Amino acid sequence: MTTTGLPSFALKQQSLSKSFARQIRWWALAGGAVSSLVFLAVSAPWLHLLRASGGSVFVPILAVAQGLAPIAAVESAIMRREGRSRLDATSLLGAFITANGTAAVVIGLRGEAWSLGLATAIYPVALFVLCRLLNKAQLPVEKKVSIRELLSFSRKITLQNVVFLVLQQLPSWLISSRAGTESLGHFSRASTLAGMPATAMSTSINRALQPHWRKLNEGSSGDRAMVDSAILASALAFPLFGLLVAHAPAIILLWLGPNWSKSANLVPLLAVSYGLSIPFTVVANSAEMRGLFKPVRFAQIAMAVGLAPGLVVLYFSGEPIWACAAMALSQFCGIATLIIRLPWYSRRAMKSTILGISEQIGWALIICGLGWAAAEIARSNHLTLFANSAATHLTLGFLISAGVWLVTFRFNRARRILKNRLPSRSPIKAMT
């Protein structure tokens, strides 16, 4: 409610007054305190249920992060709402470097498990301080907004995000409780490889788009923005995650070493799931920012239906690959349902979105398929340019895929969108 609902509410306001911004900050502090106490209360039984009691060492320091994250998220949203996107990016980067740098030093000096949670705890503090220092925009003083409206919107965002959280975490919870820590370890490594770039990409795209949705709530302009953003997000995401699908064994070998081949088997399906999640997140976030919650709820129902068969098989077999298959099917059902259920101004926009995303899947198959073929040819001929053969095959596959992407981008619908929206800039430069 506090880390997503309050910032989203601030971003959707046509005008935001100084007094109301102050109210949002107080709600963030109060909500953070309550959520931190709840986190402390439920952590012990929850860890016991997941057969992961060793995680209790992280609870106190993560409770600090839980309490401070809302006020940092609100400050960042206010800065973004005022059109200070570069300063927002600077504050995010500065907070990331400060938090992870400090944590790395402590880990190196102490080497204790709890220090792994330092980065999570320090980040909101650093983000709040940097946002306050960098954001000098003066807000108007006269506008007041209903607290009832704030709580209503935040509650809706909260409920939907809780459902998303459960849908995303159910596979790992089930693996933890049914298959044990070894299977969970392989699943978590594979999830990290696919999930980290997905989180970074979807977060950055949504942070850039969020301040604009309140201006695009009428007529066909909202449709055009939705279509263009979904296609551009797909054009960015699908080739990247196609590379994970094509080269998972080599990437896992270079990243984790020779004893993690089970993780490599899980990566392709997870990459499909996380790749689809990026345009889905963009479309769902745009709907929420414009107050369209019902289509997102239909999408969540479809995701649950798609998730269920794989989790049932996982429960009885204990094989984590079924969790990956369930996540991929769930994400496909979710994005298809969301696009169909949105109240489009014209059905042509819905068809354009479906065709545009399908086209990006086709381009990703061509781009990554040719790179994979080149890597396989090099492997079968024992070609080695570096000391490590996996590095050779991976580099060759990436270079071929990048070359194909550059050559074919002129025919891509994403190029036409960028050319129309950014006529003074190179489409490829804008895309990258």
Side-chain angles (χ1 to χ4, degrees):
M1 186 170 214
T2 49
T3 55
T4 56
L6 292 176
S8 296
F9 187 75
L11 284 163
K12 77 183 287 289
Q13 297 302 306
Q14 294 298 329
S15 62
L16 183 68
S17 69
K18 185 181 295 185
S19 61
F20 189 65
R22 189 182 302 115
Q23 287 179 307
I24 293 178
R25 292 183 178 109
W26 279 113
W27 276 104
L29 288 171
V34 172
S35 63
S36 182
L37 292 174
V38 172
F39 175 74
L40 287 170
V42 304
S43 292
W46 185 242
L47 288 169
H48 177 73
L49 182 65
L50 296 181
R51 300 196 311 181
S53 57
S56 59
V57 68
F58 301 109
V59 169
I61 198 163
L62 292 180
V64 174
Q66 183 82 357
L68 297 175
I71 186 64
V74 165
E75 289 299 331
S76 179
I78 291 174
M79 177 184 287
R80 209 156 66 250
R81 189 193 174 283
E82 299 304 314
R84 297 170 172 260
S85 55
R86 292 184 180 179
L87 290 179
D88 180 52
T90 301
S91 62
L92 286 172
L93 182 60
F96 176 83
I97 292 173
T98 301
N100 286 275
T102 304
V105 171
V106 175
I107 291 169
L109 293 175
R110 300 294 298 272
E112 297 177 6
W114 63 266
S115 55
L116 291 170
L118 266 179
T120 307
I122 295 172
Y123 179 81
V125 179
L127 181 60
F128 173 78
V129 171
L130 286 170
C131 286
R132 293 292 287 178
L133 289 174
L134 294 174
N135 190 12
K136 303 298 183 181
Q138 295 297 316
L139 298 175
V141 296
E142 70 282 354
K143 179 98 167 38
K144 290 186 178 180
V145 181
S146 166
I147 295 299
R148 179 179 294 181
E149 184 186 353
L150 180 152
L151 293 178
S152 175
F153 181 83
S154 297
R155 176 181 57 81
K156 291 175 182 177
I157 290 282
T158 299
L159 290 175
Q160 292 197 161
N161 284 349
V162 168
V163 174
F164 280 129
L165 172 69
V166 172
L167 291 173
Q168 291 166 359
Q169 296 300 322
L170 261 177
S172 60
W173 292 342
L174 197 56
I175 290 171
S176 180
S177 60
R178 296 294 297 175
T181 54
E182 182 179 350
S183 293
L184 180 63
H186 287 291
F187 181 80
S188 67
R189 298 307 189 281
S191 296
T192 299
L193 179 61
M196 284 184 67
T199 300
M201 188 174 291
S202 59
T203 300
S204 61
I205 294 172
N206 280 320
R207 290 181 77 89
L209 290 173
Q210 278 177 336
H212 302 288
W213 288 120
R214 71 179 190 274
K215 309 169 190 175
L216 298 167
N217 206 21
E218 296 181 1
S220 60
S221 61
D223 278 8
R224 290 198 301 272
M226 186 93 75
V227 173
D228 289 355
S229 59
I231 293 173
L232 288 174
S234 302
L236 279 169
F238 292 170
L240 172 63
F241 288 89
L243 291 173
L244 289 181
V245 173
H247 304 290
I251 295 172
I252 288 291
L253 181 62
L254 291 172
W255 179 37
L256 298 174
N259 298 319
W260 294 90
S261 58
K262 290 182 180 179
S263 297
N265 296 332
L266 305 179
V267 169
L269 285 170
L270 287 173
V272 170
S273 173
Y274 280 108
L276 289 171
S277 75
I278 293 173
F280 173 84
T281 303
V282 169
V283 176
N285 186 258
S286 71
E288 291 174 343
M289 292 301 295
R290 295 188 291 163
L292 303 173
F293 293 99
K294 193 173 181 180
V296 182
R297 287 196 290 269
F298 275 109
Q300 290 177 329
I301 294 171
M303 292 176 74
V305 171
L307 196 65
L311 293 190
V312 170
V313 179
L314 167 64
Y315 182 85
F316 289 105
S317 69
E319 292 294 331
I321 190 68
W322 289 106
C324 305
M327 290 174 66
L329 179 60
S330 172
Q331 198 64 66
F332 174 79
C333 293
I335 191 170
T337 302
L338 179 60
I339 293 172
I340 292 170
R341 296 294 306 189
L342 279 171
W344 297 97
Y345 185 74
S346 83
R347 293 189 65 83
R348 183 179 178 183
M350 181 186 74
K351 294 178 182 178
S352 295
T353 305
I354 295 172
L355 290 174
I357 292 177
S358 301
E359 178 185 318
Q360 299 311 318
I361 293 174
W363 283 121
L365 289 172
I366 294 171
I367 292 166
C368 301
L370 291 175
W372 173 82
E376 287 299 306
I377 291 171
R379 185 179 292 108
S380 62
N381 289 297
H382 306 289
L383 177 64
T384 303
L385 302 177
F386 309 110
N388 190 312
S389 59
T392 298
H393 306 148
L394 189 60
T395 302
L396 183 61
F398 275 31
L399 289 176
I400 295 297
S401 293
V404 174
W405 183 81
L406 288 171
V407 171
T408 59
F409 188 66
R410 63 179 300 181
F411 309 107
N412 196 310
R413 188 180 306 200
R415 183 181 184 275
R416 296 195 294 274
I417 293 172
L418 290 170
K419 189 175 181 180
N420 291 334
R421 290 193 174 270
L422 300 168
S424 63
R425 296 181 62 185
S426 161
I428 291 180
K429 184 178 180 181
M431 193 71 172
T432 54

